[in-house]
Amino acid sequence: MKQDQPATDCKLDQMSQDLLGKPIARSEGLAKVTGTAPYAAEYPVDNCLEGVLVTAPFARGTVTDIDTQACLAMDGVVAVVEDERMTARAAQGTAGEAPVQQPRTVCYWGQPIALVVAETFEQARDAAKHLVISFDADDLDDVAFDPNAVDPENKESTSQGDLTRAMNEASSNVDARLTTSGHASAAMEPHAAIAEWDGSKLTVYASLQMLNYNIAELADAVDLEEDDVRLISRYVGGGFGSKLGISEETVAAAIAAMQLERPVRVVMSRQQVFQCIMRRSETTQRLRLASGDDGALTGFGHYALVSNLPGEEFAEPVLQSSQFLYAGENRLLEMDVARVHRMTAGSVRAPGEAVGMPALEVAMDMLAEEAGVDPVELRLRNIPENHPVEGTPFSSHKLAECLKQGAEAFNWDSGKRKPRHTKDGEWWIGTGMASAARVHNVSEAKARVTLKADGTAMVETDMTDIGTGTYTILGQVAGEMLGLPRDKVLVELGDTQFPRGSGSGGSWGAASVGSAVFVACQALRKKLAERAGVSEDELSLKDGAISGGTSLVDLLDGKDLAEEGHYEPGDIDEDFVAAGFGAYFAQVRVNRFTGETRVERMTGAFGFGRVLNEKTARSQCIGGMTWSIGVALTEALHFDPVDGHLVNCDLAEYHVPVHRDVPDLDVIMVEERDPAASPIQAKGIGELGMCGGAAAIANAIYNACGARVMDFPMTPDRVLAAMPYD
Amino acid sequence: MRPFQYARPDSLDHATQLTAPEDTMAIAGGTNLIDLMKLQVETPQELIDINRLTMGEIADTDDGGLRIGALATNTATAAHDRVRSDYPLLARAILAGATQQLRNKATTGGNLCQRTRCYYFTNIDQPCNKRDPGSGCGAIKGIARLHAILGTSNHCIATYPGDMAVAMAALDAQVLITREGEKERTVPVRDFHRLPGDTPEKDNVLEAGEIITGVTLPAPVEGKQIYRKVRERSSYAFALVSVAAVVAMTDGRISRANLAFGGIAHKPWHDPRLSELLVGETPSAAVFDKAADLLLEDAQGYGENDFKIPLTRRALAATLADATGVEL
């Protein structure tokens, strides 16, 4: 089904199983915590060789020779694989074709150039260090590393009215420059693959988010037809964008297996994951906000400079939600991209809003102070009726409710807006808030649902569950529609033998594949209704039977019944702007002496359409808010200024928040149904939780101690430098 | 990781024999060494596993102090009753370091021997005089955020990353060291680690064939014990600056001020002049400032870590204020 119209009457609400939305624990949770859910590198494969990637110790140039002699003479070493089809970079999300190949042409420090294969991992790892690489590295003076030191290319520009004039004529205005650091996805499971080749078919166990695209990427890279490739990715230990496209280890394992005619496993070291896998671009942003006395925006300017390698299309979409979040007649939104030789920049959880929203929301806090309007009130006054440039209506818009419900739950005190109002020993205590916004995405998806003769159901799609709860929610959608308890629905994911799902990315998985399952179930219901001699509307299914009547087993009469559901986003996105909204409130302590900041409590209120599972949805929000703490306080990729290599490339030195940094996070899920977002009225949620939360913390730091820090993350040195001396 | 030989001696004598060759290394918890071997930063020919030796005891000494065996884990030490009651500074410092999992494996001797290190030391494709003498220092013109401000040389600006030894320096602990056929020697923790000079490859004074058998703490002294560790995340992060303090007051004046600092030098930093300056003074912001002036008179930043100079000053003042009850 193609969605061209809002799904105002949703079948799900007429069902009787009472399963959807319930806080059911993840069905694969026990397997995961007992170590019995296999991750990519853990599949038992006989006779498997081990491959270790060899990477370039220079940022730009050409590998002229690889001397394999010493390496091949070592115990256990089977081969050195150097093949021009091996990939130099990971594929961007939804690429659907081979990423940049020809690894001998080096574009960033740490780029994989060859694979050493041995009988054991230890042999391969040692041998990899004995490979003698000759190269022509470009003069470092000619290689750009600093995005702020090159002439950037213009990427996008939207203009309406006259921003400069609006700024000049405004009663209050803010002109602020903010920066955000580069981020890593830092998923727990490193990138890994095991490839098997039987002479005609390639099977690869890998850690990937979007098998529906990855199969095309891999087939293209190794010159096979998609039909001859099978990808399996049943459990993924976190992706956060880093596993959207296939990356170097998967292609290298495949080529090695085909060449050596034995299975080959390649697991990236933690350092390689950091050095080769996509980063989130650092940003430099300028916010210009103009308002009247009442805080109503008259001008809205947002400029961003991001970076990427030469030739990469992707540019961190910093301005994405700035296009429509707030009103303002005079608008100028511009983005430039600087070409630098750091590893590829690509999607990391909530590309765009993850860094654009924190900057915007700090500027809004500054405007609130400038205009003398409470920050919550300022946001409420600037919610536009329709898209401020295109005039398109919103499909559903819960920002106001989120702001109000969040403020109430947090006990927001608008009387304490002047900084340095509360001191507790060495600590300043303050509060801050910010809006959340994230575009809503959907994608084509297919799923097969089979009613088995024994009265159970099976859902099959190559959709992945990257730890978000996909197994569970798809079982809930099917169970609700077919009148089955959750444990009577088997969900099989992560195998390209199944119908193509949407993949997990852009927060679109639940709404897209959920809709495909929904469509398949509708078709099944139609058939069941025919058999039962009732109209589909009258068909009430519960606990494996027609309510008060025939059981499913009897209706099926010994035969399975299967339907494939096919969901396609239609033209509805031309008629409506669909987005998730929310609000964050944070209380922090800032140490008067050291500038250390600790988050004491945090509330997030979010509207993302129908909640499919209250527990997994809440976990997504908590995860997003935790990332907000990282963006605000700790996470930053540090690149060497001389040769451009990534310096902090492990979990000890790239600081994601630890448990002790994360207080109890209060999550409010605001009741919402969005009929234009998807047939099941659900929107994306995985990313929304981090789209602005860092600003609530930044604004709370200011409110606590008077330090208006303009650079994320707000480490103790930066807070101290901005803190009024006392 | 390079292939290596492995031996597991049953006696200390045997262990000291086995560790005598230059390219052997002793391993206890392995929490630092194994990481460095995987990265091929350390490439011992032979590992001597000393975990079979009975050196895990924590026991009272005749003079009222405490002897902590070299193989006592950090977790056991931090949880020990006497450590908690008489040397709370040590318990707090240990608990401020690493993670629970690492502390469960890490030992007293191994913690003292963890490498003074930096980003460039752990990346074998980068220059580092400590790892590869003569190859240069990548950090001086590179990312030097975590690096030293005191006692640096043109060869190395790395910082000693530990917490336990900083507390031990303030407590004036002694390291007990043995080697085959010789009497046990004792080195103050304050002198155990070295400054880089032109031989940054040597972190400490331990010679080949020597094994740490334990650490002794002197009898407990009067005074407030404080460990303040400044860092951007609250666990599993090295100190930007840390201060270990044992400070006593008598009749409104400072009567003891044993201070040591982490995160600012190639070794736990102890400056005996601070105690001389502070003892006898009535505590005040001005006195704390004078102490900081003295401590930091030769401090030098490398751009990225310039902030450590004012941060050390503030951390010292906050610690002294906390110890003496002065409101700042």
Side-chain angles (χ1 to χ4, degrees):
Chain A
M1 113 182 251
K2 201 168 188 165
Q3 189 180 12
D4 294 319
Q5 296 297 322
T8 31
D9 282 325
C10 183
K11 274 265 151 47
L12 284 166
D13 293 311
Q14 296 149 25
M15 298 295 117
S16 343
Q17 189 62 33
D18 198 22
L19 184 59
L20 200 62
K22 290 287 173 291
I24 296 171
R26 290 181 208 182
S27 49
E28 80 287 11
L30 188 66
K32 281 183 172 170
V33 298
T34 53
T36 52
Y39 289 93
E42 298 176 334
Y43 283 86
V45 173
D46 288 340
N47 201 27
C48 192
L49 292 166
E50 306 287 342
V52 167
L53 289 166
V54 179
T55 59
F58 61 99
R60 197 181 74 183
T62 311
V63 174
T64 52
D65 186 54
I66 298 178
D67 183 352
T68 60
Q69 205 179 351
C71 185
L72 285 171
M74 292 176 70
D75 273 355
V77 175
V78 174
V80 174
V81 179
E82 35 153 346
D83 186 305
E84 61 179 22
R85 295 172 301 165
M86 283 168 64
T87 58
R89 310 173 194 172
Q92 295 284 357
T94 74
E97 59 183 24
V100 173
Q101 296 173 294
Q102 313 233 339
R104 282 193 176 212
T105 304
V106 173
C107 283
Y108 61 95
W109 202 102
Q111 176 183 310
I113 46 185
L115 183 79
V116 173
V117 183
E119 294 291 342
T120 71
F121 169 69
E122 286 74 15
Q123 288 166 337
R125 181 170 56 181
D126 185 26
K129 298 285 185 202
H130 285 80
L131 199 61
V132 183
I133 313 276
S134 306
F135 53 85
D136 261 344
D138 293 351
D139 189 336
L140 286 174
D141 291 339
D142 301 333
V143 186
F145 297 120
D146 178 0
N148 287 296
V150 297
D151 280 337
E153 300 163 11
N154 184 255
K155 182 79 183 172
E156 68 171 274
S157 185
T158 315
S159 175
Q160 174 178 288
D162 185 345
L163 177 63
T164 310
R165 204 171 124 195
M167 287 291 282
N168 289 337
E169 293 174 357
S171 322
S172 305
N173 67 37
V174 166
D175 186 346
R177 180 184 180 279
L178 290 111
T179 69
T180 64
S181 284
H183 300 146
S185 288
M188 287 276 278
E189 184 197 12
H191 292 58
I194 301 173
E196 288 184 284
W197 170 248
D198 71 0
S200 60
K201 301 245 187 227
L202 178 69
T203 302
V204 181
Y205 302 91
S207 187
L208 294 165
Q209 294 179 230
M210 297 197 157
L211 300 188
N212 48 322
Y213 290 100
N214 303 141
I215 191 169
E217 289 153 6
L218 181 59
D220 187 24
V222 300
D223 306 319
L224 287 175
E225 296 300 320
E226 275 185 43
D227 287 347
D228 296 328
V229 177
R230 180 181 174 194
L231 278 175
I232 296 168
S233 211
R234 292 204 178 96
Y235 302 104
V236 180
F240 311 115
S242 73
K243 297 167 183 169
L244 289 176
I246 51 164
S247 39
E248 297 89 337
E249 82 295 338
T250 303
V251 179
I255 290 172
M258 290 166 77
Q259 192 176 309
L260 303 172
E261 299 188 327
R262 277 180 68 181
V264 177
R265 171 177 18 234
V266 181
V267 183
M268 282 195 181
S269 69
R270 184 65 68 188
Q271 288 75 18
Q272 288 176 340
V273 173
F274 272 86
Q275 286 166 349
C276 309
I277 297 302
M278 300 206 185
R279 64 187 168 96
R280 185 201 306 285
S281 173
E282 69 299 311
T283 72
T284 302
Q285 301 180 51
R286 183 184 182 195
L287 272 302
R288 279 181 288 173
L289 303 174
S291 81
D293 282 340
D294 55 356
L297 285 163
T298 53
F300 185 101
H302 195 169
Y303 167 82
L305 172 69
V306 302
S307 71
N308 209 340
L309 278 166
E312 286 288 336
E313 267 296 303
F314 181 89
E316 180 80 17
V318 177
L319 312 177
Q320 210 157 237
S321 280
S322 291
Q323 304 284 359
F324 59 80
L325 178 58
Y326 295 127
E329 189 50 35
N330 302 286
R331 306 178 79 84
L332 183 59
L333 285 85
E334 290 180 297
M335 190 163 84
D336 289 346
V337 55
R339 298 298 174 188
V340 297
H341 289 270
R342 295 175 174 178
M343 81 289 276
T344 319
S347 294
V348 176
R349 195 175 193 173
E353 286 92 333
V355 285
M357 285 294 298
L360 167 58
E361 291 297 293
V362 166
M364 283 294 280
D365 199 60
M366 295 167 75
L367 182 68
E369 185 180 38
E370 185 77 23
V373 178
D374 178 78
V376 177
E377 184 58 32
L378 180 72
R379 272 100 177 159
L380 287 170
R381 287 182 193 173
N382 283 294
I383 298 173
E385 195 66 25
N386 295 310
H387 189 292
V389 176
E390 288 154 17
T392 323
F394 291 97
S395 56
S396 170
H397 197 302
K398 292 292 176 188
L399 179 55
E401 282 80 352
C402 291
L403 287 163
K404 288 173 192 164
Q405 289 187 29
E408 193 185 339
F410 184 81
N411 202 10
W412 176 253
D413 187 348
S414 55
K416 287 188 171 168
R417 291 303 94 211
K418 208 172 145 48
R420 298 156 80 91
H421 51 75
T422 306
K423 195 151 73 166
D424 176 19
E426 334 187 327
W427 300 88
W428 290 110
I429 299 174
T431 55
M433 59 77 54
S435 296
R438 170 72 183 163
V439 293
H440 167 64
N441 299 303
V442 273
S443 177
E444 182 179 2
K446 290 179 188 166
R448 181 166 55 236
V449 181
T450 306
L451 268 172
K452 310 286 271 185
D454 65 1
T456 63
M458 183 161 72
V459 177
E460 294 166 305
T461 160
D462 78 356
M463 175 66 182
T464 52
D465 185 332
I466 57 172
T468 47
T470 312
Y471 279 103
T472 314
I473 57 160
L474 295 184
Q476 284 176 275
V477 172
E480 188 67 60
M481 289 296 287
L482 300 173
L484 291 170
R486 176 64 190 86
D487 61 0
K488 297 281 189 210
V489 185
L490 177 68
V491 182
E492 294 272 26
L493 303 178
D495 187 333
T496 53
Q497 288 196 330
F498 302 140
R500 298 276 178 273
S502 62
S504 299
S507 298
W508 70 47
S512 305
V513 186
S515 292
V517 171
F518 172 73
V519 170
C521 290
Q522 274 189 309
L524 284 170
R525 286 178 53 83
K526 214 166 263 173
K527 290 200 170 159
L528 291 173
E530 277 168 26
R531 290 188 188 185
V534 295
S535 76
E536 200 226 319
D537 284 345
E538 290 165 350
L539 183 72
S540 168
L541 295 168
K542 190 169 166 44
D543 294 332
I546 295 179
S547 295
T550 323
S551 73
L552 276 179
V553 175
D554 288 345
L555 267 185
L556 291 163
D557 195 20
K559 289 197 198 74
D560 293 357
L561 190 60
E563 284 289 342
E564 186 170 287
H566 184 188
Y567 160 71
E568 285 177 275
D571 298 333
I572 197 159
D573 63 345
E574 289 168 17
D575 302 333
F576 297 97
V577 184
F581 294 96
Y584 309 88
F585 297 83
Q587 178 169 311
V588 304
R589 296 180 156 243
V590 183
N591 190 283
R592 296 201 283 132
F593 298 110
T594 63
E596 289 165 288
T597 300
R598 303 288 180 247
V599 180
E600 254 187 345
R601 62 190 183 101
M602 197 167 173
T603 298
F606 306 103
F608 44 83
R610 184 192 296 273
V611 176
L612 302 176
N613 177 322
E614 203 187 300
K615 189 173 203 156
T616 56
R618 183 178 301 275
S619 293
Q620 287 295 294
C621 296
I622 288 172
M625 288 164 75
T626 301
W627 276 56
S628 296
I629 296 173
V631 173
L633 300 177
T634 56
E635 291 187 46
L637 294 174
H638 296 294
F639 292 91
D640 183 85
V642 178
D643 71 4
H645 81 279
L646 176 66
V647 165
N648 54 337
C649 48
D650 59 36
L651 292 169
E653 297 299 348
Y654 179 79
H655 288 174
V656 300
V658 296
H659 285 296
R660 225 175 145 196
D661 296 319
V662 185
D664 279 345
L665 300 173
D666 185 23
V667 174
I668 298 164
M669 291 180 273
V670 172
E671 179 70 24
E672 182 184 11
R673 298 289 162 84
D674 191 333
S678 63
I680 58 172
Q681 302 174 332
K683 289 190 276 202
I685 165 179
E687 295 167 316
L688 180 62
M690 70 171 301
C691 297
I697 295 165
N699 296 337
I701 291 173
Y702 175 70
N703 182 251
C705 70
R708 182 61 88 182
V709 188
M710 305 303 271
D711 303 287
F712 290 96
M714 301 188 173
T715 47
D717 48 314
R718 286 172 168 170
V719 173
L720 269 191
M723 195 190 290
Y725 196 76
D726 69 326
Chain B
M1 185 184 275
R2 292 272 169 80
F4 56 89
Q5 300 294 312
Y6 175 79
R8 197 158 49 169
D10 289 314
S11 73
L12 186 56
D13 271 356
H14 192 201
T16 50
Q17 281 166 25
L18 291 173
T19 53
E22 276 293 340
D23 46 9
T24 62
M25 294 184 81
I27 183 165
T31 55
N32 183 214
L33 178 55
I34 290 174
D35 278 355
L36 294 175
M37 287 173 69
K38 286 181 183 171
L39 294 168
Q40 212 150 300
V41 172
E42 298 279 18
T43 53
Q45 289 289 317
E46 183 161 14
L47 274 190
I48 312 303
D49 182 339
I50 59 170
N51 285 297
R52 281 193 178 167
L53 309 185
T54 46
M55 300 197 298
E57 201 187 17
I58 302 175
D60 297 346
T61 59
D62 295 342
D63 64 357
L66 195 65
R67 184 183 189 285
I68 301 169
L71 291 175
T73 66
N74 282 179
T75 297
T77 305
H80 190 269
D81 279 348
R82 272 207 69 204
V83 174
R84 286 162 52 119
S85 59
D86 293 342
Y87 311 98
L89 165 59
L90 179 59
R92 286 178 196 142
I94 289 173
L95 294 177
T99 64
Q100 183 68 59
Q101 292 90 333
L102 289 167
R103 295 192 295 268
N104 288 345
K105 289 299 289 177
T107 63
T108 314
N111 190 322
L112 285 169
C113 291
Q114 69 175 305
R115 296 304 308 266
T116 289
R117 56 195 187 267
C118 89
Y119 308 124
Y120 296 83
F121 175 71
T122 53
N123 184 338
I124 63 168
D125 291 318
Q126 289 293 318
C128 172
N129 289 319
K130 179 181 283 296
R131 187 190 64 244
D132 182 11
S135 63
C137 171
I140 287 177
K141 284 186 176 163
I143 299 293
R145 177 172 169 76
L146 293 178
H147 292 68
I149 52 171
L150 287 168
T152 56
S153 76
N154 292 334
H155 302 276
C156 181
I157 61 170
T159 43
Y160 175 75
D163 296 289
M164 182 193 81
V166 178
M168 286 179 169
L171 292 165
D172 198 15
Q174 309 288 313
V175 186
L176 309 173
I177 298 169
T178 195
R179 73 183 306 158
E180 195 198 1
E182 278 179 35
K183 220 174 117 239
E184 194 168 69
R185 71 174 174 126
T186 301
V187 178
V189 167
R190 292 169 184 175
D191 301 330
F192 179 75
H193 297 94
R194 299 175 66 256
L195 288 179
D198 56 8
T199 51
E201 66 274 17
K202 277 186 72 64
D203 289 346
N204 56 52
V205 301
L206 207 63
E207 300 290 338
E210 288 191 324
I211 287 179
I212 295 174
T213 55
V215 169
T216 55
L217 298 170
V221 295
E222 284 293 306
K224 195 162 176 181
Q225 300 187 16
I226 294 171
Y227 190 71
R228 176 183 285 266
K229 181 175 181 179
V230 182
R231 47 183 163 169
E232 61 206 26
R233 74 174 174 187
S234 56
S235 175
Y236 196 36
F238 294 134
L240 296 172
V241 172
S242 71
V243 187
V246 182
V247 177
M249 297 277 290
T250 308
D251 301 331
R253 289 174 186 277
I254 298 171
S255 54
R256 174 176 292 109
N258 297 337
L259 298 163
F261 301 83
I264 58 172
H266 194 265
K267 59 179 287 188
W269 190 259
H270 172 75
D271 184 338
R273 298 175 304 166
L274 293 188
S275 172
E276 289 163 24
L277 181 145
L278 287 165
V279 169
E281 294 286 337
T282 305
S284 68
V287 167
F288 304 160
D289 246 357
K290 266 204 280 180
D293 288 342
L294 187 62
L295 171 70
L296 296 165
E297 67 179 355
D298 295 324
Q300 183 196 344
Y302 292 84
E304 286 232 325
N305 68 344
D306 289 351
F307 72 91
K308 284 192 174 182
I309 298 173
L311 185 60
T312 304
R313 173 178 293 276
R314 297 180 72 118
L316 173 60
T319 306
L320 291 173
D322 186 7
T324 59
V326 169
E327 282 277 331
L328 286 184

